Amino acid sequence: MTLYSPEFSESEQSKIDAEFSRLTENKSVYLDHAGTTLYAESQVKAAAEQLQRNVICNPHTCRLTGDFVDQVRYKVLEFFNTTSEDYHVIFTANATASLSLVAENFDFGSFGNFHFCQENHTSVLGMRERVSHAKGIYMLTEREITGCSLQNGSSKEKPTDPGRSLVTFSAQCNFSGYKIPLDAIGNIQENGLHTPGKHIWGTEGKTSNNDYYICLDAASFVATNPLDLKRYRPDFVCLSFYKIFGYPTGVGALLVSKRGAEAFRDRKFFGGGTINYAYPHTMEYQLRESFHQRYEDGTLPFLAIVGLLEGFRTLERIVPKTKELATMERISRHVHGLAKYLEDQLKQLKHPNGEPLIQLYNKAGYQDRTRQGGIVAFNVRTDSGDYVGFGEIACVAALHGILLRTGCFCNIGACQYYLGLDGDAMDAIYKRAGRICGDYFDLIDGQPTGAVRVSFGYMTTIHDVEELLKMLRSSYLATKPQQRILFIEEQAGQLPPVLQKRVQNLRPKLLQMAIFPVKSCAAFKIEGYLKSWPLTDQGLKYDREWMIVDMNGMALTQKRCTELCLIRPLIKNDVLELHFGDSCVSVPLSLEDQAADSAKCVSKVCRQPVEGLDCGERVAEWLSTNLGQDGLRLLRQSGQRNSSKDQQKLSLVNQAQFLLVNRSSVRSLQFEEPLDDTVDRFRANIIIDTGLAFEELSFKQLSIGKVQFQVQGPCQRCDMICINQKTGERSPETLTTISRLQSGRMRFGIYITRISKDTGDLQLSCGDTVLVE
């Protein structure tokens, strides 16, 4: 077990706490420092006093403002242990603007390529749209970046006319907190890439002879870690100051090494402050001699830049350096210690059956601070291994006063890597399901589309971590799902509007309906454009109103004839069409039309006599021909049939009006086939997804939309579920898997009966909310 050892002394911690008393007053726990850290109270007070004390105006007018701006440039260089001899400081709006500036101005030459890391912020992906002058674009994995040294340490061959290739990666992943070893910077600059990565765009060709430049997205890293630019020398460093100080926003920087400056091409645009002169009557102009001035278009955000001075001073005052450790080194140790403690505590959270509560996402663990920062990414799981949507976690956390982040954190590549999503899964999430960055569409077929992230700053305390752990224990180990959902719904008014919308989706929904017009044949599914279906006093309209009987009048089922699953029904206009391959036959939907030209007959279902109408010779011959059995007939139920228990009216079903199946229970079987195919094996009328496997077995009553149902009991399964409903092939492991999961019992799905006997115009609709008693 990891014991927490504080980095700050008691007196230091007291001073820090005093700067953030608003958190205590608002009963808030702030755990999204990777989004932005918080500003200290004395910091903003001192910044305001500075504005009151001085006349700070446009630097083109006021020399004092220019002096302030120059002083900030010096502090930025000092903060990263470098000087103006080695790096230029260009002020930008934020790290994204810095990345854009590099993409627009980097000169790739004739053969240069753009390489980026998969686990990068979305803004790095945006660079691809502005590097069309590169020869090719490649995606690198983190391992391809860190394993970049050429074998035997030999340097790459220098061509006479090399291209310039740009490699962009994050020093610290903002999804997981994993730190890419910064030694990779020098290795790539010296030796190039061992592999170019996956070709994404442009011309694919030999690239090993190019000169390689490094663009380091340091926004996440420098917020809580020291970056020594004397030791590591990336050509470009992109950052946002609000990540470090919390205030002010709207100002970032691009640090450009002297080598990097030589790789910038002449600008195609200039703005005020970037030129010595520009003629209106000719195309002549002259850029400023100072490198940073050429790229700072227009008037700088000078008030925000001046405010950075108090950011530097406050950080050094609140977290003073020691003889051994500088300020940022101490902050790095502090946030890593908290993350390490949290990770250890999360691993110990177990359900009563021993299953872990938390699925963690990291690469190297939390033992080595040089590889892992103060970020912990995870998802919550149920005792059956199903995932809890991160949107629900966001709701629960907000109601407990905990501010954290959920989703993909503008890092879809890292999300793809840690969640194990292939191209098809990505398309299912973003193209077919329509998820967008920042929404709370958190589960698709039970699989997460994002995660929960907590991240720490120098003002985070061990108490904050314990509050998060307390929330997870009380909400997900000591509380049943229905209780938790009720708690969220009752408190929903306290949530932000975007989370209030998520509350509406906490309850399970009716995902799909299926009717089986011909007993034991394939389903007619209510989905897609067909959202609703009417109810009758027997169940879903047309469900199991027909059945196929043999020459002895006995009902034919898939146990005797697996090919029945290949007969596909289609309800179209006023007829029921039956399809088998390319062959088709139809019968009227109207019972009156059927009765006008049909003979009466009697058969049995579950030992009960059933009155029926023979549907005629044409469909009988069609059935016998396609199923290869003589004497087959199609019968339609015409007389009333009641259940033996409660006199409910039944169609040709075996036991109850409806069969309900929970997709979460189906997922737990983990068959090596598409989930929809496994769901089809159970031939349910009503399909829901509660997020918890086998939860439906505890239901007593439920309502779907406006319709109330009584649970009759579990469905005891036979070997019919071993039949793949698309192919007719048998796979016995279906039954054995259910038996193993339920200690020898064969229960799967539940029988339900409508309580109300007043049919009226009642119908069920896909998307109806399922409420369970």
Side-chain angles (χ1 to χ4, degrees), residues 70 73 84 87-90 258 261 267 273-276 286-296:
D70 288 340
R73 285 190 211 276
S84 58
Y87 279 88
H88 305 283
V89 178
I90 302 172
K258 295 302 171 71
R267 295 201 69 189
T274 63
I275 57 167
N276 290 328
Q286 185 183 79
L287 293 172
R288 291 287 175 98
E289 300 225 350
S290 173
F291 182 82
H292 67 260
Q293 286 184 317
R294 296 184 183 186
Y295 296 93
E296 292 175 341

Side-chain angles (χ1 to χ4, degrees), residues 15 48 108 164 272-273 336 362 369 411 506 539 555:
K15 290 179 180 178
F108 288 90
R164 296 189 185 96
H336 177 261
N362 58 70
R369 184 165 56 89
N411 195 331
L506 288 175

Side-chain angles (χ1 to χ4, degrees), residues 380-436:
V380 175
R381 307 191 77 163
T382 68
D383 58 1
S384 60
D386 291 313
Y387 288 92
V388 177
F390 60 73
E392 180 185 317
I393 307 298
C395 292
V396 173
L399 293 174
H400 283 80
I402 299 174
L403 300 171
L404 43 73
R405 189 79 171 270
T406 61
C408 279
F409 327 120
C410 298
N411 195 331
I412 292 177
C415 211
Q416 181 183 27
Y417 172 82
Y418 285 103
L419 300 181
L421 304 172
D422 59 17
D424 287 341
M426 295 288 282
D427 285 346
I429 292 171
Y430 292 99
K431 291 183 179 179
R432 296 193 286 276
R435 207 208 145 191
I436 60 174

Side-chain angles (χ1 to χ4, degrees), residues 60 134 201 206 214 247 288 307 326 430 467 495 568 695 728:
H60 297 148
W201 178 88
K206 186 176 180 181
I214 302 298
Y247 172 87
R288 291 287 175 98
Y430 292 99
E467 285 297 303
L495 295 171
R568 295 176 293 106
E695 182 181 11

